[in-house]
Amino acid sequence: MRHRPPPEFAMEASTATASPRSHSHPARLTGMSWTHFLNDGAANYLPGVLPAILISLNLSVALAGTIMAALLMGQALQPLVGIFADRVGGRVMVALGLAGSSLGGALVGFASGFWPLLGILMLIGISNAFFHPQALAGIRRLGGERPGTAMSIFMVGGEVGRGVWPALASWVVVQWGLGYLWLLALPALVTLPFVLHWAPRLPPRDANATPIAWRLHAGPLSRLVAFSALRSLMILSVVTYVPLMWAQGGGDLTTGASFITVMLVVGVIGNLGGGRLSDRFGRRPVLIVAMSISVIMLAAFLMAEGIWLWIVLGVLGISLFATLPLGILIAQDILPENRSLGSGMALGLANALAALGVMLLGPVAALWAPAAPLWIALGGGVVSIFLASGLPEHASAR
């Protein structure tokens, strides 16, 4: 007997067949990518100014991981937010997320101590949890027949924001001080009125819709979350501990932040290339090859000197971020009954688990050196290659 797809898949397929071009919205997709740029920029510039914050508040390097974890732990709420977002539909949570991330980013420079700083960073993390599930679920509606390419374009905005903002924030701090970080929130303030026009309005999930088949999805979803967490641990370890390595070696704040910028901005090539390659060759082969290159490049970085540091970091960014849109698409395909929940688990829950790892690695960095956590993250990258080989492949990519 021929397998019948779920109603939502049948509806999407028939609509795409009838008018494939009508579902492609490049202008709105560009706007959403810009919104992602602002949100992730405001939510992720902390590593670029972390050495200055530690000095300003007289904090130990051992607390660097805890501070980063406070920023990222709020993302653990993304699966719950995803369930709620699918239940209510709409798009207002995208705007609320951008507003909260930008407000928190503006307040970082005014933190008077360790605990107020943690509270501000948790506000940023929770706002990030509001932004991503609804935005990621809606992006598929703007890409027409090329969801991989659409997801890549959207993710490019976020990765460029994560790359540019640390260097920009460090420049602001060097020029005027931590108290002027509020300047970085002004572009989001101007953009907020447009967000509700760009973001797709998602239909609310029917209370009588097909329930989530947890027993069916538990295996592949667990592998995907583990893979995404280990990949995120590599990224977060680099952005947290490389600037500290540079500062402890006598380097200046701006150059240390520029290492992050190079990895994340050059990584845009991977965001775009990963999505396009997956549309052609399938997602699983791209994941395996990209993570293998990532492990090799991180090992090379830890042994490199001079100009090679920048080159290797660029290649590392390309390979790591080629996997990011693919993991989200796989999660949405694993949970077709609730794509916002799938997005939240692949991104938010995985990042939260990686944040716990970064926090635990803080004392390791203080006891030995900031390079020690990177070697541990490299070992996690090796494990992620084997996890990638067991992830499901999307049917249309075969």
Side-chain angles (χ1 to χ4, degrees), residues 17-312:
T17 303
S19 55
R21 295 182 181 274
S22 64
H23 288 275
S24 180
H25 304 277
R28 293 174 65 187
L29 181 59
T30 302
M32 286 298 293
S33 186
W34 166 251
T35 303
H36 199 192
F37 168 83
L38 295 175
N39 179 82
D40 281 24
N44 292 281
Y45 70 71
L46 177 64
V49 299
L50 185 55
I53 290 176
L54 294 177
I55 293 172
S56 174
L57 300 180
N58 195 27
L59 300 175
S60 166
V61 172
L63 292 174
T66 302
I67 292 172
M68 283 297 296
L71 176 66
L72 297 165
M73 283 305 296
Q75 296 193 35
L77 295 174
Q78 281 199 33
L80 296 178
V81 174
I83 294 174
F84 179 73
D86 275 327
R87 179 68 66 183
V88 301
R91 53 195 171 190
V92 69
M93 294 173 69
V94 178
L96 289 176
L98 175 62
S101 296
S102 302
L103 173 63
L107 293 175
V108 166
F110 297 105
S112 57
F114 177 68
W115 293 110
L117 175 64
L118 292 191
I120 293 169
L121 296 178
M122 290 181 68
L123 168 64
I124 296 174
I126 293 170
S127 300
N128 236 354
F130 269 67
F131 176 86
H132 282 99
Q134 209 169 55
L136 290 166
I139 286 301
R140 293 182 76 123
R141 294 175 172 267
L142 301 181
E145 294 181 314
R146 296 185 176 181
T149 301
M151 188 66 71
S152 290
I153 293 172
F154 178 71
M155 298 304 292
V156 160
E159 298 313 324
V160 173
R162 286 165 49 136
V164 170
W165 245 241
L168 186 59
S170 68
W171 181 82
V172 169
V173 170
V174 169
Q175 294 298 316
W176 300 303
L178 287 166
Y180 282 84
L181 287 172
W182 62 267
L183 292 170
L184 301 179
L186 295 180
L189 183 65
V190 175
T191 300
L192 273 171
F194 300 96
V195 173
L196 293 180
H197 169 69
W198 292 332
R201 185 188 296 275
L202 299 175
R205 175 176 164 82
D206 191 336
N208 297 320
T210 305
I212 299 174
W214 286 112
R215 288 190 177 183
L216 177 65
H217 303 322
L221 194 58
S222 299
R223 285 193 295 273
L224 177 63
V225 170
F227 166 83
S228 299
L230 291 173
R231 185 266 321 282
S232 295
L233 181 63
M234 291 182 70
I235 297 172
L236 295 179
S237 296
V238 171
V239 302
T240 301
Y241 295 111
V242 166
L244 293 175
M245 287 171 55
W246 188 255
Q248 285 195 353
D252 62 278
L253 185 69
T254 304
T255 303
S258 297
F259 282 120
I260 304 172
T261 299
V262 167
M263 186 183 79
L264 299 183
V265 173
V266 176
V268 166
I269 299 172
N271 274 133
L272 290 172
R276 294 185 68 87
L277 288 172
S278 73
D279 286 338
R280 182 173 180 181
F281 299 110
R283 295 167 188 165
R284 188 166 53 212
V286 176
L287 289 176
I288 294 172
V289 172
M291 288 309 301
S292 299
I293 295 173
S294 298
V295 168
I296 295 170
M297 288 299 104
L298 183 53
F301 172 78
L302 290 168
M303 296 181 286
E305 295 180 354
I307 189 65
W308 287 105
L309 291 170
W310 306 87
I311 296 173
V312 170

